Amino acid sequence: ETKIITDENNVLSNYEIYSSDIDNVKIEDNNLKITINNPKQNAEIRLLKKHYTNSVALIYYSGNNQKMIRSGILDPVVSSSKLNINIKAKIKVTKIDKDYKFVIKKSNIKFKIKNIDTGKYLCENDDCIFKTNSSGYFITNILDSGNYQIEELEDQDVYGYLWNSTPLTFSIDENSKIVYENNEPTIKIDFPNKQIRAHIRVYKIGESPVIKNGTISYEEIPLAGAECKLYAAEDIYSADGNIVYKKDQKIISFPITNGIREIQFLPIGNYCLKE
């Protein structure tokens, strides 16, 4: 942004910029024109009053020089101004898969945003809740500088994913990575969720006769050597909506050794196990 400060005393034109923490500062007549390109929350501008000369006043003491005095500045007039720059930005929160980093394109995933500095929640609607659109993100209005945290609400179902109960904290300050979307300053934040992936454990149990005191009983024992196949009992989709297994598709064939076998990282769905 560019800010123009007008000197109502009409003496600013008598000054020049001596040094500045901001790169783009100009004096135009009695206006101080400040353009912020790289935000710094606490910046200082120092002005020096113009003189007919910038030389320092000197008194000569020399037997070989007739010049006795050189006029110049004895006490420079310096004006220093400190600026408190309010860095503002919109927040774009995108719901992503924690492991594979793709966007979870699901609408109406609900969040709240809390201002940690004030302890209050942001309210841009009646229920103070932010909801993702069909592309899996939401954008706030422009927020002031400060410290915030994003909370995912628990009472909702994000199909195929576990609830992320850990708030995500962020700050809007001079160290924030600000980009411009539609000419608006924006900070992009990814809010991750972990896919629900299940393990199935297959036990193969048989019976072995035990004769004791003239009676026969049976005890369970693990069996080895059985061959099994796992099929999809329906079309099974990944959390991003792509089909993983088609109905009746064989997923894996496996032997069972020592009476047990585990199959890991299966997406949500209905399966069929055949011996």
Side-chain angles (χ1 to χ4, degrees):
E1 286 188 8
T2 296
K3 179 77 172 179
I4 296 177
I5 301 173
T6 301
D7 173 28
E8 296 179 354
N9 294 321
N10 294 317
V11 297
L12 181 63
S13 59
N14 297 326
Y15 285 77
E16 59 186 359
I17 298 169
Y18 174 66
S19 64
S20 173
D21 294 332
I22 301 172
D23 294 336
N24 198 342
V25 181
K26 296 178 181 178
I27 294 176
E28 296 178 351
D29 297 326
N30 276 301
N31 296 315
L32 187 66
K33 186 176 181 181
I34 306 168
T35 301
I36 306 298
N37 295 319
N38 297 307
K40 184 175 182 179
Q41 286 184 289
N42 295 305
E44 187 173 4
I45 299 173
R46 290 163 291 275
L47 306 178
L48 180 67
K49 189 173 183 180
K50 296 178 182 178
H51 293 79
Y52 63 92
T53 176
N54 287 326
S55 300
V56 179
L58 294 176
I59 296 177
Y60 289 89
Y61 180 77
S62 172
N64 299 321
N65 196 327
Q66 291 183 337
K67 184 184 291 186
M68 297 178 63
I69 296 175
R70 187 185 76 185
S71 60
I73 302 172
L74 288 176
D75 189 10
V77 178
V78 178
S79 173
S80 178
S81 299
K82 291 185 178 180
L83 305 179
N84 184 15
I85 301 168
N86 187 7
I87 301 169
K88 301 182 179 184
K90 290 185 173 183
I91 305 300
K92 180 178 181 180
V93 180
T94 303
K95 173 66 70 177
I96 67 165
D97 184 284
K98 182 176 181 179
D99 297 315
Y100 301 100
K101 309 305 179 186
F102 59 75
V103 176
I104 303 171
K105 295 182 179 180
K106 181 177 174 60
S107 59
N108 294 319
I109 303 175
K110 292 178 283 188
F111 296 86
K112 280 193 170 185
I113 299 179
K114 184 178 184 179
N115 186 322
I116 299 174
D117 301 326
T118 64
K120 296 180 179 180
Y121 286 94
L122 303 183
C123 283
E124 295 183 3
N125 47 50
D126 294 337
D127 55 11
C128 303
I129 291 175
F130 298 87
K131 299 178 182 179
T132 57
N133 57 22
S134 58
S135 296
Y137 68 86
F138 69 86
I139 301 177
T140 69
N141 293 330
I142 289 183
L143 307 180
D144 288 332
S145 57
N147 300 297
Y148 300 85
Q149 72 179 24
I150 305 170
E151 304 169 4
E152 181 179 329
L153 300 191
E154 183 178 6
D155 58 339
Q156 59 185 328
D157 178 25
V158 182
Y159 179 78
Y161 286 91
L162 298 169
W163 170 51
N164 187 345
S165 61
T166 304
L168 193 155
T169 59
F170 67 93
S171 298
I172 302 176
D173 56 25
E174 61 193 62
N175 298 315
S176 299
K177 185 177 181 181
I178 297 176
V179 298
Y180 282 82
E181 288 195 352
N182 299 320
N183 293 322
E184 296 282 2
T186 304
I187 298 174
K188 295 182 178 180
I189 297 175
D190 292 334
F191 197 99
N193 284 74
K194 190 169 183 63
Q195 274 194 53
I196 298 173
R197 291 279 185 168
H199 303 343
I200 64 170
R201 187 172 293 135
V202 182
Y203 296 92
K204 186 64 176 174
I205 302 297
E207 291 182 334
S208 176
V210 177
I211 301 174
K212 187 176 182 180
N213 298 327
T215 61
I216 298 177
S217 61
Y218 295 88
E219 65 178 9
E220 289 186 348
I221 60 171
L223 297 181
E227 293 285 337
C228 292
K229 295 179 181 179
L230 185 67
Y231 293 86
E234 62 180 357
D235 288 344
I236 296 176
Y237 295 85
S238 62
D240 60 347
N242 294 318
I243 192 165
V244 180
Y245 305 116
K246 292 185 178 181
K247 184 179 180 180
D248 299 325
Q249 177 183 342
K250 184 180 75 173
I251 298 170
I252 188 174
S253 298
F254 58 92
I256 298 180
T257 58
N258 299 321
I260 186 172
R261 176 64 184 266
E262 190 171 275
I263 311 299
Q264 298 183 338
F265 301 111
L266 293 171
I268 287 177
N270 292 315
Y271 296 85
C272 176
L273 185 66
K274 295 182 180 181
E275 183 177 359

